[in-house]
Amino acid sequence: MSAIIRILLATLMLPASIACNTDIKNIKTENVKIDGNCEMCEATIETAGNKKNISKVDWDKNNKTAIIIFDSLRTNQSAILKRIANAGYDNEKFKAPNNVYEKLHDCCKYERKSETK
Ligand SMILES: [Cu+2]
């Protein structure tokens, strides 16, 4: 029974996530550097960067790079990276506030580069 429910959920959720992407208009795609360590960082980074119908962030922990997709008429790379910095993650444009970085989970305390602005 639970297997059937899982299959049902999977088939329901997959089209929903694809539809979500296509709701973004005037699409601009960029690659950006964002520091982080693990899956937990990925969740925090993506939650901070995502905005329904406006922006979508897909971060890769292996190369510390995210693909950001956004509506170029409604937001820009800086606005997205600012939100991610405010969630605790240094990136190529902004540095996270120290007090926010300090509150990250121990496994998420990535090594900070002093030259990051
Ligand atoms: Cu982490």
Side-chain angles (χ1 to χ4, degrees):
M1 200 48 148
S2 69
I4 295 166
I5 291 167
R6 252 183 279 132
I7 292 163
L8 266 176
L9 277 177
T11 50
L12 284 174
M13 285 168 78
L14 191 63
S17 66
I18 292 165
C20 223
N21 276 337
T22 56
D23 283 344
I24 299 176
K25 298 187 176 66
N26 313 301
I27 285 184
K28 200 167 177 198
T29 305
E30 285 172 354
N31 278 288
V32 290
K33 284 268 174 214
I34 303 169
D35 285 336
N37 287 334
C38 63
E39 281 87 1
M40 222 158 106
C41 301
E42 178 173 9
T44 309
I45 290 167
E46 293 180 356
T47 302
N50 289 351
K51 252 193 179 176
K52 196 170 185 274
N53 299 344
I54 296 179
S55 60
K56 180 103 185 132
V57 176
D58 186 10
W59 185 73
D60 185 340
K61 67 174 176 163
N62 294 314
N63 54 21
K64 322 285 185 215
T65 300
I67 298 163
I68 58 171
I69 299 164
F70 58 93
D71 183 332
S72 60
L73 296 182
R74 297 174 76 185
T75 190
N76 54 56
Q77 192 203 82
S78 291
I80 297 165
L81 289 180
K82 187 78 195 164
R83 288 204 302 276
I84 291 169
N86 286 338
Y89 291 90
D90 292 348
N91 55 65
E92 62 182 55
K93 272 200 173 147
F94 301 101
K95 203 165 194 294
N98 287 332
N99 62 326
V100 180
Y101 172 83
E102 288 305 324
K103 281 185 199 136
L104 292 178
H105 196 278
D106 282 345
C107 76
C108 293
K109 287 201 168 68
Y110 54 90
E111 203 179 313
R112 300 189 98 177
K113 300 174 207 73
S114 52
E115 71 274 13
T116 312
K117 282 211 166 154

